[in-house]
Structure formats: C-alpha cells, structure tokens
Amino acid sequence: MSVAIRFLKMVDSFLPLISKLCLLIGSIAIVVLLLIFGWLVFGRYVLNDTPTWVEQLALLLVVYITFLGAAAGVHEETHLGVQFIRESLPDVIRKP
C-alpha cells in the first residue's frame, strides 16, 4: 500500500472526530450567542446603556456557527441540497 493511501486512510479516520468537534464548538457558540443577546437586552432596557461589542461578536459567532454547522452537515450528509435542478434534467444529461 502506498504512503498516500495510508495517509488518506489515517485522515479519513479522524474526520468523524473533527465533525463532532465542529458540532461541539458550534453548540457552545450558540449558547454564548444567547447569553450575549441577553446581556444586550439587559443593557439596553435596564441599564439604558447599549454595549457596543455585542453586535460585532454576535455577527462573528453567527458566521462561525454557520460554517462549522455546514462542515459537519456535509460530512454527515445532512446538509441542505438543491436537487430539483438535477432531477428535472433529462436522463441523458443527468448523472446517476
């Protein structure tokens, strides 16, 4: 067996762990997002002083949640797919 094939098999064995790690980090980021939005509402309506850092951090967390969730979804084959275009093509053009 060549070195490249052994390397690919080794990498392939780590992919489920990486997928679970992506889901864990994304889940923690969602909890943090909820907490900072709670702080935003509290600061805005109770303290009458809006924390400025919350909106920037929330935007960054949404991006991380999206990308990590999409990566795990592609690995676990649970991602959203647009298949109606492929399914509407004639059999000659469409690949099975």
Side-chain angles (χ1 to χ4, degrees):
M1 189 177 338
S2 72
V3 176
I5 293 174
R6 282 189 298 205
F7 176 74
L8 289 176
K9 286 188 179 200
M10 183 187 69
V11 169
D12 193 44
S13 68
F14 286 113
L15 290 179
L17 178 65
I18 293 171
S19 174
K20 294 212 183 300
L21 184 65
C22 287
L23 287 176
L24 177 68
I25 293 170
S27 300
I28 292 170
I30 288 176
V31 171
V32 171
L33 185 67
L34 289 171
L35 292 174
I36 65 169
F37 269 120
W39 178 252
L40 175 71
V41 170
F42 180 78
R44 183 174 290 165
Y45 294 110
V46 176
L47 301 177
N48 211 13
D49 184 27
T50 304
T52 57
W53 55 270
V54 171
E55 293 177 15
Q56 288 83 17
L57 182 59
L59 182 62
L60 187 65
L61 285 173
V62 167
V63 170
Y64 276 113
I65 292 166
T66 303
F67 283 121
L68 292 172
V74 167
H75 178 262
E76 295 177 4
E77 297 179 359
T78 58
H79 63 287
L80 295 175
V82 183
Q83 297 178 358
F84 71 91
I85 296 173
R86 186 187 68 195
E87 297 298 325
S88 65
L89 293 173
D91 288 336
V92 177
I93 298 173
R94 177 178 48 191
K95 291 184 178 179

